[in-house]
Amino acid sequence: MSGGRTEEEMMNTWDRFSSRMNKALTVTGACLILAIAIGITAEILLRKIFNETLGGMDELASYGFAIFTALAFSVAALARANIRIDVLRSWCPRPARVALDLLAQIALIAFAGFLTWRATLLVGASWAKGTTAITPLATPVAWPQSVWLAALWVFVTILCVMFGLSVRALLRGDDAALATLAAPVGELDELAPQQHTITEALTTGAKEA
Amino acid sequence: MLATSLFLLFGLVLLSISVAASLGLLGLILGAIYSPMPLYRGLADIVWVNAIEFLLLAIPLFVFMGEVLLRSGIAARMYEALTKWLAWLPGGLMHTNVGASALFAATSGSSVATAATIGTVALPEAESRGYNERLFLGSLTSGGTLGILIPPSINLIIFGLLTNTSVPDLYMAGLVPGLLMASIFTMTVLVACLMRPGWGGARITCTWAERLRALPELIPPVLIFLLVVGSIYGGLATPTEAAGLGVVGALVLAGARKALSWPMLLSAAEATMRTTAMVMLIVLAAMFLNFVLGVIGLTQALASFVAQLGWSPTAMMFAIVVFYLILGCFLETLSMLITTAPLITPIVIGLGFDPVWFGVLMMVLLEMALLTPPIGINLYVVQSVRRKGTLTDVVIGTLPFLAAMMVMVVLLIAFPGIALWLPKALG
Amino acid sequence: QEAVNLKVVGTWGYLNTWNQVEKPFWTEELKAASNGKITVEALPMTEVGLKGFEVMRMLQLGVFDGAHGIISYLGDDPVAEGADLAGVVQTWDEAKAAVAAYEPVLAESFDKTYDAKLLGVYPFPSQLLYCNAPISGLADLKGKKIRSYSKSMSDLFTGLGATPVTIAFGEVVPALQLGTVDCAVSGTLPSYTSGWGEATTHLVRLSTGYAFSFAAVSKVSWDRMDEETRDIIASNAGAMIDRAWEIGQKDDEMGIACLTDGPCEVGDPAGLVDVALSDADRAQLADVLQATVLESFGARCGAACSATWNETIGRAVHLTIAE
Ligand code: NA
Ligand code: NA
């Protein structure tokens, strides 16, 4: 049936989008965490050996951390990796489970959306007032805040798209799609996809060495 | 107010709404019900101030360091080497599980990461050796909890941040109890397998030559421990900076083993981002909830209720332990730490206990919370790595170790010196 | 007069200034002065998990009606920074003169920038330098690693030939003990009670400031109050501020005594070596302030702001930001 095909196409589009998005977020995240670790190490060595300081390395690292975290929210959203307690859910019949899954999506959107809305106002105020950090660097905080805010918006957008696709899958009765969009990966299978790569890494690591 | 708060919290969590969203929404709802002021307006400010908290930066750094060590094969080889040294004991690989957990804990800040790593390495080894599967699983869930007691530890850093306690002191105070706890786990396995020899599986023996040859595989984790913890005591770095140093150290070690590649770094970063997001979203939501609980007066109400009980310090400490055991069944550990530490610690200090000692006791209680159903994250982690059988096996196998941890709690209360001796000796 | 209920956030719950000044003012004195018409729920920021940087924003957002906070934590306006530049104020007399001169400037800035009505400005015990290294005067600070948390403090330490290091507050005491940094700054009595005396060996009497703090009410709340309520708050605030000055100075003297050789009312003297500034040190400090702290602040705050500073604090402490 043609309806089924479009649904399938749509899921393919989503899969492609989500894996590209995941890749982009991961590459950015890897660069950030490496930069932070190397920056901190450089600061330690400079301080110990040359009695010098990069000046405000901790502050820059803190902004990097906030941005890393906000980007990470999207990675976790795409992997449905937020901790959900599914003691009750696992006892429920299927329709109730679907209802709980959608409710969980709505609740996360509500909290994340609310946070992002308030954050938008905060960053607006920082721009308007030209707020600077009271640190030696006196960073105009609107700069790091804006990047952080953009990452939060990406997060909320992803959550909304996933919710929209879930509702669509529900209406079309596409259980498989619904499961990949809304069911908890929880603790139970959260590590499963990861574990594959881990085992792979372990065996290659052992073989190579 | 307290009843409503708890009812709402358990309600939201049981509806399988993610823990972070539950905490955040609870904060917004309680603020709307109990405060005439628009507390919700402060959400972004509180989140931003904590999002840039330098001390919390240790979370992604430690997680990333562990992921790099795992992906470079260092964890697997460490496990193999420890097997040669420990698996001759009745109980075989179960001793390796405990030992490897303790050693990996010395390079990892998290209990979940420790359980996941050692579980991933150990479970394939357990096949066809005839162990009592439940006890084997228990040695993994409980051994993994050592991650937050043996330094470095994300939870000790957060405890230090919330209660203004010195993180280096907390680290030193956690070391001896961590090793003692590992020994108690080992004893538990030993006693069980001496009583029921069938549980211990096939004995693994090897020659002293093999053992000595395996020793170099233990050097990398020891180097990381020395780098991360030693740099703090050598006056080189602060605890958070030391985590950054640890990442660079792990990268160098991975490079030395020719396991360093861009795809490997990307997959380590992806896993780090997933864990960081889970943890930080909970931390940030819990910080806002704390603010709301403080402003609506729930925090003070509880504190003054406890103060007017007028119990003796020992009775109070007993009550606190029971309180955490019960709460630990139902709450995720990080949110439990963040919402209760700022409230309970001043009371405990007021009773004349040492905050550093209490930080260590708190870690043991959190470790127990990781193991108590229905909400015991380490149970889920090991079950997820295992991917067969039921969670019940994991729960039953963990019970003897929970009893062992209760012994540890009693020992800590009876002999505070277990925790306080080392920081005093060094300071 | 109508009944009003206010929500107020104060400073550190474990310090005397909260317990003996801020808290009784809001919860007891205003109630008594208004025959029970003004009731206030006041909490220190430490009890609601705030770090202090968010306090002013919370006031502006209407989360609280009134707030106490550190002026140098405000980041929106160089005028606020000017109140507490590192090293400028060295004695209690200078502190009083500086605040008296600058308070109208701050009141205007609070009105314009923070939508708040300034009730008064008061100090905490002085922020001195604690070192874990032998120091006999400012010259010995050369080459030392000193923890700094503000721009003017970094300027001051750089000017003295030291290396300003930025590390998180929670990491300072262990960093001093373990030698990650050589010196750090903190208030006298608070640092005695939180164990700085055991972490360090030398107390250098270089004051980097008095943590000047504000008591303020948001303009929205202020405008909503009737005339009588405002009068009661404003007229009682004066006595509260005066008491804060007395307690700040008393705690400062007690803190210094406790940190050095006593006598100490609140514990055993910590026995730190008391390093007073010599005349040569003072002369060097004045030069360094001129060349680094004031010069760099002048560039940040601009000509008009510098001129105002020169006429107020500058005159009180005999320093001038050069054109
Ligand atoms: Na650890
Ligand atoms: Na539990």
Side-chain angles (χ1 to χ4, degrees), chain B residues 36-39 41-42 45-46 49-50 53 55 166 168 232 235-236 238-240 291 294-295 300, chain C residues 7 14 43 47-48 50-51 54 57-58 61-65 167-169 171 174-175 178-180:
Chain B
M37 311 303 276
L39 300 189
R41 290 190 193 162
D45 292 86
I46 290 175
V49 163
N50 286 291
E53 172 59 58
L55 297 190
S166 149
I232 300 173
L236 203 60
T238 64
T240 315
F291 166 71
V295 173
Q300 292 88 327
Chain C
K7 305 274 186 264
Y14 47 85
L43 291 164
E47 252 176 54
V48 294
L50 295 181
K51 292 171 200 281
E54 332 85 322
R57 273 273 302 169
M58 296 284 183
L61 291 170
V63 173
F64 296 107
D65 298 301
I167 58 174
F169 178 73
E171 299 185 323
L178 299 165
T180 320

CSV table of all heavy atoms in Angstrom, one decimal, chain B residues 36-39 41-42 45-46 49-50 53 55 166 168 232 235-236 238-240 291 294-295 300, chain C residues 7 14 43 47-48 50-51 54 57-58 61-65 167-169 171 174-175 178-180:
chain,number,residue,atom,x,y,z
B,36,PRO,N,3.9,32.1,46.4
B,36,PRO,CA,3.2,33.1,45.7
B,36,PRO,C,4.1,33.8,44.7
B,36,PRO,O,3.6,34.5,43.8
B,36,PRO,CB,2.9,34.1,46.8
B,36,PRO,CG,3.9,33.9,47.9
B,36,PRO,CD,4.3,32.4,47.8
B,37,MET,N,5.4,33.5,44.8
B,37,MET,CA,6.4,34.1,43.8
B,37,MET,C,6.5,33.3,42.6
B,37,MET,O,6.4,32.1,42.7
B,37,MET,CB,7.7,34.3,44.5
B,37,MET,CG,7.7,35.0,45.9
B,37,MET,SD,6.8,36.5,45.9
B,37,MET,CE,8.2,37.6,45.4
B,38,PRO,N,6.9,33.9,41.5
B,38,PRO,CA,7.0,33.1,40.2
B,38,PRO,C,8.4,32.4,40.2
B,38,PRO,O,9.3,32.8,39.5
B,38,PRO,CB,6.9,34.2,39.1
B,38,PRO,CG,7.4,35.4,39.8
B,38,PRO,CD,7.0,35.3,41.2
B,39,LEU,N,8.6,31.4,40.9
B,39,LEU,CA,9.9,30.7,41.0
B,39,LEU,C,10.3,30.2,39.7
B,39,LEU,O,11.5,30.1,39.5
B,39,LEU,CB,9.8,29.5,42.1
B,39,LEU,CG,9.4,29.9,43.5
B,39,LEU,CD1,9.6,28.7,44.4
B,39,LEU,CD2,10.2,31.1,44.0
B,41,ARG,N,10.5,31.5,37.0
B,41,ARG,CA,11.3,32.4,36.2
B,41,ARG,C,12.8,32.3,36.5
B,41,ARG,O,13.6,32.7,35.7
B,41,ARG,CB,10.9,33.9,36.6
B,41,ARG,CG,9.5,34.2,36.1
B,41,ARG,CD,9.3,35.7,36.3
B,41,ARG,NE,7.9,36.0,36.1
B,41,ARG,CZ,7.4,37.2,36.5
B,41,ARG,NH1,8.2,38.1,37.2
B,41,ARG,NH2,6.1,37.5,36.3
B,42,GLY,N,13.2,31.7,37.6
B,42,GLY,CA,14.6,31.5,38.0
B,42,GLY,C,15.2,30.3,37.3
B,42,GLY,O,16.4,30.1,37.5
B,45,ASP,N,18.4,30.7,35.0
B,45,ASP,CA,19.5,31.2,35.8
B,45,ASP,C,20.2,30.2,36.6
B,45,ASP,O,21.4,30.1,36.6
B,45,ASP,CB,19.1,32.4,36.7
B,45,ASP,CG,18.7,33.6,35.9
B,45,ASP,OD1,17.5,33.6,35.5
B,45,ASP,OD2,19.5,34.5,35.6
B,46,ILE,N,19.4,29.4,37.3
B,46,ILE,CA,20.0,28.3,38.2
B,46,ILE,C,20.6,27.3,37.3
B,46,ILE,O,21.7,26.8,37.6
B,46,ILE,CB,18.9,27.7,39.0
B,46,ILE,CG1,18.5,28.8,40.1
B,46,ILE,CG2,19.3,26.4,39.7
B,46,ILE,CD1,17.3,28.4,40.9
B,49,VAL,N,24.1,28.7,35.9
B,49,VAL,CA,25.1,28.8,36.9
B,49,VAL,C,25.7,27.4,37.2
B,49,VAL,O,26.9,27.3,37.4
B,49,VAL,CB,24.6,29.5,38.1
B,49,VAL,CG1,25.5,29.2,39.3
B,49,VAL,CG2,24.5,31.0,37.9
B,50,ASN,N,24.8,26.4,37.2
B,50,ASN,CA,25.3,25.0,37.5
B,50,ASN,C,25.9,24.4,36.2
B,50,ASN,O,26.8,23.5,36.3
B,50,ASN,CB,24.2,24.2,38.1
B,50,ASN,CG,24.0,24.6,39.5
B,50,ASN,OD1,24.8,24.3,40.4
B,50,ASN,ND2,22.9,25.2,39.8
B,53,GLU,N,29.5,25.1,36.1
B,53,GLU,CA,30.2,24.8,37.4
B,53,GLU,C,31.4,23.9,37.0
B,53,GLU,O,31.3,22.8,36.6
B,53,GLU,CB,29.3,24.1,38.4
B,53,GLU,CG,30.0,23.5,39.6
B,53,GLU,CD,30.7,24.6,40.4
B,53,GLU,OE1,30.0,25.6,40.8
B,53,GLU,OE2,31.9,24.5,40.6
B,55,LEU,N,33.5,22.3,38.8
B,55,LEU,CA,33.7,21.1,39.5
B,55,LEU,C,32.9,19.9,38.8
B,55,LEU,O,33.4,18.8,38.8
B,55,LEU,CB,33.2,21.2,41.0
B,55,LEU,CG,34.0,22.1,41.9
B,55,LEU,CD1,33.5,22.0,43.3
B,55,LEU,CD2,35.5,21.9,41.8
B,166,SER,N,36.4,19.3,51.6
B,166,SER,CA,37.6,19.2,50.7
B,166,SER,C,37.5,17.9,49.9
B,166,SER,O,37.5,16.8,50.5
B,166,SER,CB,38.8,19.3,51.6
B,166,SER,OG,39.9,18.5,51.0
B,168,PRO,N,40.0,16.5,48.0
B,168,PRO,CA,41.2,15.6,48.3
B,168,PRO,C,41.0,14.8,49.6
B,168,PRO,O,41.4,13.7,49.7
B,168,PRO,CB,42.3,16.6,48.4
B,168,PRO,CG,41.9,17.7,47.5
B,168,PRO,CD,40.4,17.8,47.7
B,232,ILE,N,46.9,15.5,42.3
B,232,ILE,CA,46.3,16.3,43.3
B,232,ILE,C,47.2,16.4,44.6
B,232,ILE,O,47.4,17.5,45.1
B,232,ILE,CB,44.9,15.7,43.7
B,232,ILE,CG1,44.0,15.5,42.5
B,232,ILE,CG2,44.3,16.5,44.8
B,232,ILE,CD1,42.7,14.8,42.8
B,235,GLY,N,50.3,18.6,44.6
B,235,GLY,CA,50.2,20.0,44.4
B,235,GLY,C,50.2,20.5,43.0
B,235,GLY,O,50.5,21.6,42.7
B,236,LEU,N,50.0,19.5,42.1
B,236,LEU,CA,50.1,19.8,40.6
B,236,LEU,C,48.7,20.4,40.1
B,236,LEU,O,48.7,21.3,39.3
B,236,LEU,CB,50.5,18.6,39.9
B,236,LEU,CG,51.2,18.7,38.5
B,236,LEU,CD1,52.4,19.5,38.7
B,236,LEU,CD2,51.4,17.3,38.0
B,238,THR,N,44.2,20.6,40.7
B,238,THR,CA,43.0,20.5,41.6
B,238,THR,C,42.2,19.2,41.1
B,238,THR,O,42.5,18.7,40.0
B,238,THR,CB,42.1,21.7,41.4
B,238,THR,OG1,41.6,21.8,40.1
B,238,THR,CG2,42.8,23.0,41.8
B,239,PRO,N,41.3,18.7,41.9
B,239,PRO,CA,40.6,17.5,41.5
B,239,PRO,C,40.0,17.5,40.1
B,239,PRO,O,40.1,16.5,39.4
B,239,PRO,CB,39.5,17.3,42.6
B,239,PRO,CG,40.1,18.0,43.8
B,239,PRO,CD,40.9,19.1,43.3
B,240,THR,N,39.4,18.6,39.7
B,240,THR,CA,38.8,18.7,38.4
B,240,THR,C,39.9,18.7,37.3
B,240,THR,O,39.8,18.0,36.3
B,240,THR,CB,37.9,19.9,38.2
B,240,THR,OG1,37.1,20.1,39.4
B,240,THR,CG2,37.0,19.8,37.0
B,291,PHE,N,16.4,24.4,44.9
B,291,PHE,CA,16.1,25.8,45.1
B,291,PHE,C,14.6,26.0,45.5
B,291,PHE,O,14.3,26.6,46.5
B,291,PHE,CB,16.3,26.6,43.8
B,291,PHE,CG,15.8,27.9,43.7
B,291,PHE,CD1,16.3,29.0,44.5
B,291,PHE,CD2,14.7,28.2,42.9
B,291,PHE,CE1,15.8,30.2,44.4
B,291,PHE,CE2,14.2,29.5,42.8
B,291,PHE,CZ,14.7,30.5,43.6
B,294,GLY,N,13.9,24.7,49.0
B,294,GLY,CA,14.4,25.7,49.9
B,294,GLY,C,13.5,26.9,50.1
B,294,GLY,O,13.1,27.2,51.2
B,295,VAL,N,13.0,27.4,49.0
B,295,VAL,CA,12.2,28.6,49.0
B,295,VAL,C,10.9,28.3,49.6
B,295,VAL,O,10.3,29.1,50.4
B,295,VAL,CB,12.1,29.3,47.6
B,295,VAL,CG1,11.1,30.4,47.7
B,295,VAL,CG2,13.4,29.8,47.1
B,300,GLN,N,13.7,23.5,55.4
B,300,GLN,CA,13.8,23.9,56.8
B,300,GLN,C,12.8,23.1,57.7
B,300,GLN,O,13.1,22.8,58.8
B,300,GLN,CB,13.5,25.4,57.0
B,300,GLN,CG,14.5,26.3,56.4
B,300,GLN,CD,14.3,26.6,55.0
B,300,GLN,OE1,13.7,25.8,54.2
B,300,GLN,NE2,14.6,27.8,54.5
C,7,LYS,N,9.1,38.3,50.3
C,7,LYS,CA,10.1,37.2,50.3
C,7,LYS,C,11.4,37.8,50.0
C,7,LYS,O,11.6,38.6,49.1
C,7,LYS,CB,9.7,36.3,49.1
C,7,LYS,CG,8.3,35.7,49.1
C,7,LYS,CD,8.2,34.5,50.0
C,7,LYS,CE,6.9,33.9,49.9
C,7,LYS,NZ,6.0,34.3,51.0
C,14,TYR,N,25.5,30.9,57.5
C,14,TYR,CA,26.3,30.5,58.6
C,14,TYR,C,27.2,31.7,59.1
C,14,TYR,O,28.0,31.5,60.0
C,14,TYR,CB,27.2,29.3,58.2
C,14,TYR,CG,27.9,29.4,56.9
C,14,TYR,CD1,29.1,30.1,56.8
C,14,TYR,CD2,27.3,28.9,55.8
C,14,TYR,CE1,29.7,30.2,55.6
C,14,TYR,CE2,28.0,29.0,54.5
C,14,TYR,CZ,29.2,29.7,54.4
C,14,TYR,OH,29.8,29.8,53.2
C,43,LEU,N,15.3,34.0,53.7
C,43,LEU,CA,16.1,32.8,53.7
C,43,LEU,C,17.5,33.2,53.2
C,43,LEU,O,17.6,34.1,52.3
C,43,LEU,CB,15.6,31.8,52.7
C,43,LEU,CG,14.3,31.1,53.1
C,43,LEU,CD1,13.7,30.4,51.9
C,43,LEU,CD2,14.6,30.1,54.2
C,47,GLU,N,20.7,28.5,52.0
C,47,GLU,CA,19.7,27.5,52.3
C,47,GLU,C,18.8,27.2,51.1
C,47,GLU,O,18.1,26.2,51.1
C,47,GLU,CB,18.8,28.0,53.4
C,47,GLU,CG,19.1,27.2,54.7
C,47,GLU,CD,18.3,27.8,55.9
C,47,GLU,OE1,17.1,27.9,55.7
C,47,GLU,OE2,18.9,28.1,56.9
C,48,VAL,N,18.9,28.1,50.0
C,48,VAL,CA,18.1,27.8,48.8
C,48,VAL,C,19.0,27.3,47.7
C,48,VAL,O,18.6,27.3,46.5
C,48,VAL,CB,17.2,29.0,48.4
C,48,VAL,CG1,16.2,29.2,49.5
C,48,VAL,CG2,18.0,30.2,48.2
C,50,LEU,N,21.6,28.8,46.3
C,50,LEU,CA,22.1,29.8,45.3
C,50,LEU,C,23.6,30.1,45.5
C,50,LEU,O,24.1,30.0,46.7
C,50,LEU,CB,21.3,31.1,45.4
C,50,LEU,CG,19.8,31.0,45.0
C,50,LEU,CD1,19.2,32.3,45.1
C,50,LEU,CD2,19.7,30.4,43.6
C,51,LYS,N,24.3,30.4,44.5
C,51,LYS,CA,25.7,30.7,44.6
C,51,LYS,C,26.0,32.2,44.8
C,51,LYS,O,27.1,32.6,45.2
C,51,LYS,CB,26.5,30.3,43.3
C,51,LYS,CG,26.5,28.8,43.2
C,51,LYS,CD,27.0,28.4,41.8
C,51,LYS,CE,26.6,27.0,41.4
C,51,LYS,NZ,27.4,25.9,42.0
C,54,GLU,N,23.4,34.7,41.0
C,54,GLU,CA,22.0,34.7,40.4
C,54,GLU,C,21.1,35.6,41.2
C,54,GLU,O,20.0,35.9,40.7
C,54,GLU,CB,21.4,33.3,40.4
C,54,GLU,CG,22.3,32.1,40.3
C,54,GLU,CD,22.8,31.7,41.6
C,54,GLU,OE1,23.1,32.5,42.5
C,54,GLU,OE2,22.9,30.5,41.8
C,57,ARG,N,19.6,38.8,39.5
C,57,ARG,CA,18.7,38.4,38.4
C,57,ARG,C,17.3,37.9,39.0
C,57,ARG,O,16.3,38.3,38.5
C,57,ARG,CB,19.3,37.3,37.6
C,57,ARG,CG,20.2,37.7,36.5
C,57,ARG,CD,19.4,38.0,35.2
C,57,ARG,NE,18.6,36.9,34.7
C,57,ARG,CZ,17.7,36.9,33.8
C,57,ARG,NH1,17.4,38.1,33.2
C,57,ARG,NH2,17.1,35.8,33.4
C,58,MET,N,17.4,37.2,40.1
C,58,MET,CA,16.2,36.7,40.7
C,58,MET,C,15.3,37.8,41.2
C,58,MET,O,14.1,37.8,41.1
C,58,MET,CB,16.6,35.8,41.9
C,58,MET,CG,17.3,34.6,41.6
C,58,MET,SD,16.2,33.4,40.9
C,58,MET,CE,17.3,32.0,40.6
C,61,LEU,N,13.7,39.4,38.2
C,61,LEU,CA,12.7,38.5,37.7
C,61,LEU,C,11.4,38.5,38.6
C,61,LEU,O,10.4,37.9,38.2
C,61,LEU,CB,13.2,37.1,37.5
C,61,LEU,CG,14.2,36.9,36.4
C,61,LEU,CD1,14.8,35.5,36.5
C,61,LEU,CD2,13.6,37.1,35.0
C,62,GLY,N,11.5,39.0,39.8
C,62,GLY,CA,10.4,39.0,40.7
C,62,GLY,C,10.3,37.7,41.5
C,62,GLY,O,9.2,37.5,42.1
C,63,VAL,N,11.3,36.9,41.5
C,63,VAL,CA,11.3,35.7,42.3
C,63,VAL,C,11.4,36.1,43.8
C,63,VAL,O,10.9,35.4,44.6
C,63,VAL,CB,12.5,34.8,41.9
C,63,VAL,CG1,12.6,33.6,42.8
C,63,VAL,CG2,12.3,34.3,40.4
C,64,PHE,N,12.1,37.2,44.1
C,64,PHE,CA,12.1,37.7,45.4
C,64,PHE,C,11.7,39.2,45.4
C,64,PHE,O,11.9,39.9,44.4
C,64,PHE,CB,13.5,37.6,46.0
C,64,PHE,CG,14.0,36.2,46.2
C,64,PHE,CD1,15.0,35.7,45.3
C,64,PHE,CD2,13.5,35.3,47.2
C,64,PHE,CE1,15.4,34.3,45.5
C,64,PHE,CE2,13.9,34.0,47.3
C,64,PHE,CZ,14.9,33.5,46.4
C,65,ASP,N,11.2,39.7,46.6
C,65,ASP,CA,10.9,41.1,46.7
C,65,ASP,C,12.2,41.9,47.1
C,65,ASP,O,12.3,43.0,46.7
C,65,ASP,CB,9.8,41.3,47.8
C,65,ASP,CG,8.5,40.6,47.4
C,65,ASP,OD1,8.0,41.0,46.3
C,65,ASP,OD2,8.1,39.8,48.2
C,167,ILE,N,41.0,29.2,40.1
C,167,ILE,CA,40.5,27.9,40.4
C,167,ILE,C,39.2,28.0,41.1
C,167,ILE,O,38.9,29.1,41.7
C,167,ILE,CB,41.5,27.0,41.2
C,167,ILE,CG1,41.8,27.7,42.5
C,167,ILE,CG2,42.7,26.7,40.4
C,167,ILE,CD1,42.7,26.8,43.4
C,168,ALA,N,38.3,27.0,41.1
C,168,ALA,CA,37.0,27.1,41.7
C,168,ALA,C,37.1,27.3,43.2
C,168,ALA,O,38.0,26.8,43.8
C,168,ALA,CB,36.2,25.8,41.4
C,169,PHE,N,36.1,28.0,43.8
C,169,PHE,CA,36.2,28.3,45.2
C,169,PHE,C,36.3,27.0,46.0
C,169,PHE,O,37.1,26.9,47.0
C,169,PHE,CB,34.9,29.1,45.6
C,169,PHE,CG,34.9,29.3,47.1
C,169,PHE,CD1,35.8,30.3,47.6
C,169,PHE,CD2,34.1,28.6,47.9
C,169,PHE,CE1,35.8,30.5,49.0
C,169,PHE,CE2,34.1,28.9,49.3
C,169,PHE,CZ,34.9,29.8,49.8
C,171,GLU,N,37.7,24.4,45.5
C,171,GLU,CA,39.0,23.7,45.5
C,171,GLU,C,40.2,24.5,46.1
C,171,GLU,O,41.3,24.1,46.1
C,171,GLU,CB,39.4,23.4,44.0
C,171,GLU,CG,38.3,22.5,43.3
C,171,GLU,CD,38.7,22.1,41.9
C,171,GLU,OE1,39.2,23.0,41.1
C,171,GLU,OE2,38.4,21.0,41.5
C,174,PRO,N,42.0,22.9,49.8
C,174,PRO,CA,42.9,21.8,49.5
C,174,PRO,C,44.1,22.3,48.6
C,174,PRO,O,45.2,21.8,48.8
C,174,PRO,CB,42.1,20.8,48.8
C,174,PRO,CG,40.7,21.4,48.6
C,174,PRO,CD,40.6,22.6,49.5
C,175,ALA,N,43.8,23.2,47.6
C,175,ALA,CA,44.9,23.6,46.7
C,175,ALA,C,46.0,24.4,47.5
C,175,ALA,O,47.2,24.3,47.2
C,175,ALA,CB,44.3,24.5,45.6
C,178,LEU,N,48.0,21.7,49.5
C,178,LEU,CA,48.8,20.8,48.7
C,178,LEU,C,49.8,21.6,47.9
C,178,LEU,O,50.6,21.0,47.2
C,178,LEU,CB,47.9,19.9,47.8
C,178,LEU,CG,47.0,19.0,48.6
C,178,LEU,CD1,45.9,18.5,47.7
C,178,LEU,CD2,47.7,17.9,49.3
C,179,GLY,N,49.7,22.9,48.0
C,179,GLY,CA,50.7,23.7,47.2
C,179,GLY,C,50.4,24.0,45.8
C,179,GLY,O,51.2,24.4,45.0
C,180,THR,N,49.2,23.6,45.4
C,180,THR,CA,48.8,23.9,44.0
C,180,THR,C,48.8,25.4,43.8
C,180,THR,O,49.1,25.9,42.7
C,180,THR,CB,47.4,23.4,43.7
C,180,THR,OG1,47.3,22.1,44.3
C,180,THR,CG2,47.1,23.3,42.2
